[in-house]
Amino acid sequence: MHLLNQFFSGTLILLCQRCWRHSARNPTYVTIFLLTFSLNKQIPRWRFTMPMIDVYAAADLFPAGTDGQLGHELTMAVLHAEGVATPGPFHLNNTAAFIHRMDPHAVHTAATDSARTVRVQVITPPGALSRDGQKQLVKEATEIVTRISGDPTQSGRTWVLLTEAAEGGWGLAGTAFGRQEFADLAAKAAAARQAK
């Protein structure tokens, strides 16, 4: 676990530094990288899941100062949907969300030029969420967005999109992770635990 924590924490720092530089050029974006790790009880080995959450909304849709609350609640919802009942330090230190506050006139639907819609997109490696997990996450994410927006009608304008990356299409630290790369990482972590 220590080896994994070092690997992912180092990667997280590198990515956050890049995100910070991007944010400095475009202050309307609050960008935080999302990494999570969970134990999938249906597979008898460690399963690494690193979903990313992106929330796109008009800048004035959520009250000022609520980005942290929104990010925290959504990331906890993802962890719970993945089956992580009690997140440990690794989960909590490597779980985050991208919150994109956009110009209110940049959000359009076929009906209006200034739509009050919210798009929550969660991208995961293949098989990270069960069907029950998908249903739970869509329900919880919609409830979170609606409550924090302060508008009880927001649920009808909140889109939650769950997307799985293609096998081998999950890139991190220059590596295209697929089942084999995740298995290799789990074997290294197991060897590190046994060496202690």
Side-chain angles (χ1 to χ4, degrees):
M1 188 64 118
H2 180 69
L3 175 68
L4 287 173
N5 205 3
Q6 277 187 321
F7 172 77
F8 286 122
S9 294
T11 302
L12 182 62
I13 290 166
L14 174 66
L15 290 169
C16 283
Q17 287 171 344
R18 289 181 183 163
C19 291
W20 180 256
R21 285 194 297 270
H22 172 72
S23 296
R25 288 194 308 267
N26 190 347
T28 62
Y29 290 94
V30 176
T31 56
I32 308 166
F33 191 73
L34 165 72
L35 289 172
T36 65
F37 169 86
S38 69
L39 175 61
N40 184 328
K41 295 178 179 73
Q42 297 172 345
I43 300 174
R45 62 177 175 81
W46 286 99
R47 172 91 179 180
F48 295 84
T49 62
M50 299 177 288
M52 299 169 111
I53 299 172
D54 285 281
V55 180
Y56 299 89
D60 61 350
L61 195 137
F62 298 110
T66 58
D67 287 1
Q69 178 187 1
L70 182 63
H72 174 74
E73 291 190 28
L74 287 172
T75 55
M76 294 306 289
V78 172
L79 287 171
H80 292 150
E82 290 179 342
V84 182
T86 308
F90 184 87
H91 301 100
L92 299 175
N93 290 330
N94 294 294
T95 303
F98 293 86
I99 311 296
H100 307 276
R101 287 184 177 256
M102 303 183 307
D103 183 304
H105 301 289
V107 183
H108 304 273
T109 65
T112 183
D113 286 340
S114 297
R116 303 298 286 171
T117 58
V118 175
R119 180 177 125 186
V120 179
Q121 184 167 16
V122 181
I123 305 172
T124 63
L129 291 169
S130 67
R131 181 64 182 133
D132 286 343
Q134 292 172 335
K135 291 177 182 179
Q136 175 185 333
L137 181 55
V138 169
K139 181 178 184 293
E140 285 186 37
T142 302
E143 290 169 352
I144 290 164
V145 165
T146 301
R147 182 172 33 77
I148 294 176
S149 75
D151 179 356
T153 67
Q154 185 59 51
S155 65
R157 298 183 310 279
T158 299
W159 306 325
V160 180
L161 309 173
L162 306 179
T163 307
E164 288 188 351
E167 168 61 21
W170 194 262
L172 180 63
T175 299
F177 280 84
R179 287 179 179 89
Q180 184 59 51
E181 289 78 14
F182 284 122
D184 293 346
L185 203 55
K188 287 179 186 176
R193 281 193 310 274
Q194 289 177 354
K196 287 187 175 186

